[in-house]
Amino acid sequence: MLDVIKLLPDSVANQIAAGEVIQRPASVVKELMENSLDAGATQIDLVVKDAGKALIMVTDNGCGMSETDARLCFERHATSKISKAEDLFSIRTMGFRGEALASIAAIAQVELKTRRQEDEVGVKIINEGSVVKEQTLAPMAVGTTFTIKNLFFNVPARRNFLKSPAAEMRHIVEEFTRVTLMNPEVGFTLTSDGKELYHLYPGNLKQRIMGLFGNSYDGKLLAVNQDTDRVNIHGYIVKAEFAKKTRGEQYFFVNKRFIKHPYLHHAIENAFMEMIPKDSFPGYFLNIEVDPADIDVNIHPTKTEVNFLDVKLVYAILHAAVRKAIGQNNLSPMIDFDEPANLGFDFGEVVKSSNPIVQPSVPIDPTYNPFSQKREFNKSSFGGGFKAPERNGDPGDWRLLYGDRTDQATPHDDSKPHYLQLSQSYIVTTVKSGLLVVDQHLAHFRVLYEKFLKEMETDSGHSQQELFPQPFTLNVNDASLLRELMPELQQVGFAMEQVNPTTFMINGTPADLSGGDPISLLEKMLENYKINRTDLQLERKLGIAKTMAAQLSVKSNTALSEKEMESIVDQLFGCSVAEIAPDGKKIYTLLTLDEINGKLKIENF
Ligand code: ADP
Ligand code: MG
């Protein structure tokens, strides 16, 4: 028998390898642009024709290559970026495998022109299907231009598998976006079929995001900045209110390398969880900086997957960083409680010409009853009586509405906001910028949620001793689940011990429970934990805080005293997220003075 094993010629090996690295024109775009960045370019121009099938050209002003390197760069595993195995653990460059150019040359017609600073003239090399066809001197500026023509010319199957030009172009734009996002200090252009699609000037990340996605992003972004000794996270998230219904701008990078990481994505989604509707997606542009030794990027040839040594740590830091950014954006600056609660009315033209008047406060007369029989309207005054203040008229006309009661009936200290309850469900109060209407249940839900989270963080939950320890018996499965939750439950004030495989003794309950039923609360907690079971301590905490807060918060249709209302509103605006309840619902609405003025003016004139 003859031996049957042969070594494949390099050109064939490269062609096979190319299938892995170069799947479509966009892959070429990515590899060439990354090479230009690795070469230290400050300006990179990309030109494509027919969605990259006819032409892909990348020009940079980077370091260029010597004549020898220019020939060598097409060899498989030719790389200037690593030389020994240990280098793999300290990779800072985008490329390192030395297979991109070899792969591209195997399946396309490649022209390389390159010149270093120290060389008088550049070199031009034409390589087709891994064969050098031509080498000449080329007068040119310092830098490198790669021109790739007729991609997959010798792999018809591949070529036929390409999607429509529009789809391939989308892939190219996506790669272009990923590369340009994390390199805002570099200028880029993208020209397709003679039309310039992007012209990105050097700047900072925010300017780059705006350059790519539009100037409207200016007001939509929240900065994320978190430095720890193991992981640094920097970038932007899109404010919750601009979350999109389609998976929009979600960009993760590790050491500036674009990655897909469903688990870390979950950390962000989770941080937003209670702030955006279930069918919307958070947007983000975040770079996670880690010691290259803490990651393994080598697990996939197209390198969008990364293994972290300690992914749970990264998850926790990322989650905290995003929470912090959201918290700092707390909408409360809009709502200023420090000022006395006068309405700050601007009567506009109505009173501009008149004497300065004392700004009216909203009078609250506790004895006032609109349904009282004694209140008799003068019918004629309804017909045309309550006139809107006339232009240049007496600015005091508005007092007619109250029969001048404002003068005597000021039941509250004017320097403090007043609180009214509407329909036993909403707290109504004035703030500097208008009229604030707060859902009492959702507000309290948020307040307690953050309180319980803090207690768990600081291990400071107050427990109230039960006079008679209560036994709590469950089935074996539920008992073991409850045992998993014990550490966190203890932190919020539950004092429990397990006396046998199915029974716990409840010796103490959270102080906030005040008379509530601890057993039904624990059952609810278990029920929710069964739905969202997780190994992550962080999420267990969130779950417990949420269930406790939901159960213990004031419900709608409950009468509240003014003190209670004041306390809820005060605490709400001390929360890190005041706008949205833990279940994603909006907690309050603000009727601004502008809106009020607008409505009244339209009706009155
Ligand atoms: P890798 O980037 O993994 O090293 P490539 O096949 O992409 O492998 O590139 C091979 C080598 O060619 C690089 O290591 C680099 O030395 C050189 N090179 C490629 N593109 C450029 C460029 N635009 N400017 C300067 N050198 C380049
Ligand atoms: Mg490369």
Side-chain angles (χ1 to χ4, degrees), residues 31-32 34-39 60 62-65 69 72-75 78-82 94-102 114 143-146 303:
E31 295 296 338
L32 294 182
E34 288 186 348
N35 280 348
S36 295
L37 285 169
D38 286 343
D60 69 53
C63 64
M65 283 179 261
D69 284 350
L72 209 62
C73 73
F74 294 106
E75 298 293 320
T79 176
S80 55
K81 297 164 194 172
I82 59 173
M94 301 308 277
F96 58 84
R97 301 164 144 257
E99 55 188 14
L101 292 178
T114 186
T144 302
T145 298
F146 273 100
K303 293 174 269 183

